[in-house]
Amino acid sequence: MKIYNYAAGPAKLPDQVISQIQEELPSVQGSGMSILEISHRSALFENILADAQQDLRDLMKIPDNYHILFFQGGGTGQFAAAPLNLATNHRKIALLDSGHWAVRAGDEATRLGFDMDTLASTKNIQYQSLPHLPENQNLDQYDYLHLTMNNTIEGTAYHQPVRPINTELVADMSSNFLAETYNVTDFGLIFAGAQKNLGPAGVTVVIVRDDLVHKVENVPSILDYDLFVKKNSLYNTPPVFPIYTAGLVLKWLKEIGGIDEMQKINEQKSQMLYDFLDQSKLFTNHITPSDRSLTNIPFTTGDEQLDNQVINAATEHGLMSLKGHRSVGGLRASLYNAMPIEGAQVLVDFLEDFEKHYQGGH
Ligand SMILES: *Cc1c(COP(=O)(O)O)cnc(C)c1O
């Protein structure tokens, strides 16, 4: 039975990349040593790191005045690193409350002693639409606006550019990094944990504009942007294997034709599922259509027991990890970059079939 993995993260990697890892594991680039055992100071790894940085720069068209850094600590680590490194002037950040991960980011900043203002929230409508900035509001009292570009749990995404007035934009792109095209120059800082679209858990990408990076007192070394720029992400031992794997995924994405091409495929996959859900009499996705995510699609029958029945039947058919996040319930299909179009089709076919039989039984 062919297995399809719809997990929200850690998530599916391209089959081609898994095969390449398997092949190269005992001897990376013919070195006679495994990627799991080489020094991060070796020429071999320095090349792997440089290639990953260059491929990411090419794919996202990252201008020269932006640094590409690799950290550990996940998206959550950056919830602390972003305010510690960037909120040094007013010690105050603005937030649009679009769901779970936005709240987490705000809570972490508050915990570290920064002021945090929520400028808009859609909590009262269960985050089924995105919150937006109040029109023409001057944000010069804030060091930056924090935005969750794709809300992994709720299933919404900002597809249009957001341009706050007189402050920087900081974007958590953990769950739609490289899945749709954004203009890097709209952002002061972009960060993303690898384990959704880029690689295995353990490495976090930071893309930061040069003029925002400066020496800050009392920042732990492991979260210090200035230090990581100076040391080219090699201040201490970096996550060697996740960076290597991310490098392979970036080369795979280049072969596919880059982010524009990937976005088209992601639109096609998600549209197949949304089209099915919108005509279904059993399943519903509650998100405002213009705000719908390309990568994370929650849906439900409206009946918890029936949802569980669907999840169990899907698992028996090899369609794995469709359980929704515990805070939302229902089902969720994550259709990240590595999920082929076939994976969306197989899911739609299964749901269609389930609905037919369900109605047949009543
Ligand atoms: C998964 C996720 C995170 C948390 O990432 P960790 O690596 O587990 O800390 C943060 N933000 C978003 C949008 C996510 O999807």
Side-chain angles (χ1 to χ4, degrees):
M1 180 171 61
K2 183 150 188 204
I3 299 294
Y4 293 88
N5 174 12
Y6 303 94
K12 178 167 176 50
L13 286 167
D15 293 336
Q16 185 185 319
V17 168
I18 299 285
S19 301
Q20 194 177 347
I21 293 170
Q22 184 178 24
E23 208 171 291
E24 287 187 354
L25 196 62
S27 172
V28 63
Q29 295 177 13
S31 65
M33 293 175 284
S34 172
I35 185 65
L36 299 174
E37 56 190 12
I38 63 165
S39 165
H40 61 291
R41 306 280 176 202
S42 62
L44 199 55
F45 181 70
E46 275 178 12
N47 285 335
I48 287 170
L49 179 69
D51 264 16
Q53 286 166 331
Q54 189 58 51
D55 287 337
L56 183 59
R57 201 173 281 284
D58 296 345
L59 281 163
M60 290 181 75
K61 301 185 174 65
I62 301 171
D64 286 343
N65 63 324
Y66 283 78
H67 300 283
I68 298 170
L69 307 173
F70 295 106
F71 285 89
Q72 306 196 44
T76 305
Q78 294 307 311
F79 293 164
L84 287 170
N85 286 279
L86 300 192
T88 54
N89 194 10
H90 310 286
R91 295 189 61 82
K92 201 167 171 176
I93 67 176
L95 184 91
L96 292 180
D97 173 17
S98 55
H100 175 93
W101 291 116
V103 171
R104 278 282 190 94
D107 286 351
E108 186 73 358
T110 306
R111 178 191 167 107
L112 292 168
F114 295 89
D115 283 336
M116 200 273 295
D117 283 349
T118 301
L119 301 186
S121 171
T122 46
K123 186 176 182 194
N124 63 333
I125 51 166
Q126 292 79 49
Y127 300 115
Q128 287 168 9
S129 300
L130 289 166
H132 292 284
L133 283 175
E135 195 108 353
N136 298 324
Q137 188 164 334
N138 185 352
L139 301 181
D140 66 357
Q141 57 178 310
Y142 300 104
D143 290 299
Y144 63 83
L145 169 73
H146 178 99
L147 205 62
T148 311
M149 295 309 281
N150 183 83
N151 295 279
T152 325
I153 293 170
E154 295 79 6
T156 55
Y158 292 93
H159 302 295
Q160 302 305 322
V162 176
R163 298 204 173 91
I165 300 170
N166 290 332
T167 199
E168 297 299 336
L169 183 59
V170 167
D172 176 0
M173 279 195 197
S174 292
S175 51
N176 69 345
F177 193 61
L178 306 170
E180 55 188 299
T181 301
Y182 290 104
N183 192 348
V184 171
T185 57
D186 284 336
F187 304 89
L189 166 69
I190 295 168
F191 65 82
Q195 69 270 27
K196 280 118 189 192
N197 269 311
L198 181 59
V203 65
T204 310
V205 177
V206 164
I207 300 165
V208 61
R209 212 177 59 231
D210 181 54
D211 61 287
L212 297 176
V213 178
H214 53 270
K215 195 164 165 34
V216 184
E217 296 302 323
N218 301 323
V219 176
S221 306
I222 199 77
L223 299 177
D224 186 340
Y225 292 174
D226 186 56
L227 184 63
F228 270 56
V229 167
K230 288 190 175 118
K231 301 290 183 183
N232 190 27
S233 302
L234 293 173
Y235 173 66
N236 71 326
T237 315
V240 171
F241 178 72
I243 291 173
Y244 155 80
T245 307
L248 299 184
V249 171
L250 292 168
K251 292 209 185 295
W252 168 83
L253 186 51
K254 271 190 158 176
E255 270 173 40
I256 284 189
I259 302 176
D260 289 345
E261 197 52 40
M262 194 75 249
Q263 177 171 344
K264 279 187 211 145
I265 297 170
N266 289 336
E267 283 167 349
Q268 210 179 327
K269 288 185 296 190
S270 57
Q271 203 55 51
M272 277 163 65
L273 183 51
Y274 285 126
D275 283 348
F276 166 75
L277 294 170
D278 286 346
Q279 61 74 50
S280 168
K281 292 189 171 53
L282 186 62
F283 299 103
T284 316
N285 165 277
H286 290 290
I287 304 302
T288 303
S290 59
D291 291 346
R292 285 172 167 175
S293 167
L294 298 182
T295 47
N296 306 96
I297 304 172
F299 55 98
T300 179
T301 63
D303 171 345
E304 195 183 328
Q305 255 185 325
L306 186 55
D307 283 345
N308 286 331
Q309 221 175 297
V310 180
I311 292 162
N312 291 339
T315 307
E316 277 170 30
H317 280 78
L319 312 189
M320 315 307 277
S321 306
L322 283 166
K323 197 170 172 51
H325 189 269
R326 59 193 177 280
S327 66
V328 173
L331 294 91
R332 170 177 49 174
S334 294
L335 305 176
Y336 294 124
N337 288 355
M339 178 61 71
I341 291 176
E342 171 197 295
Q345 187 62 56
V346 165
L347 177 60
V348 168
D349 290 348
F350 166 80
L351 294 171
E352 212 161 43
D353 193 57
F354 185 96
E355 182 168 350
K356 252 187 225 142
H357 282 82
Y358 176 74
Q359 286 171 338
H362 281 250

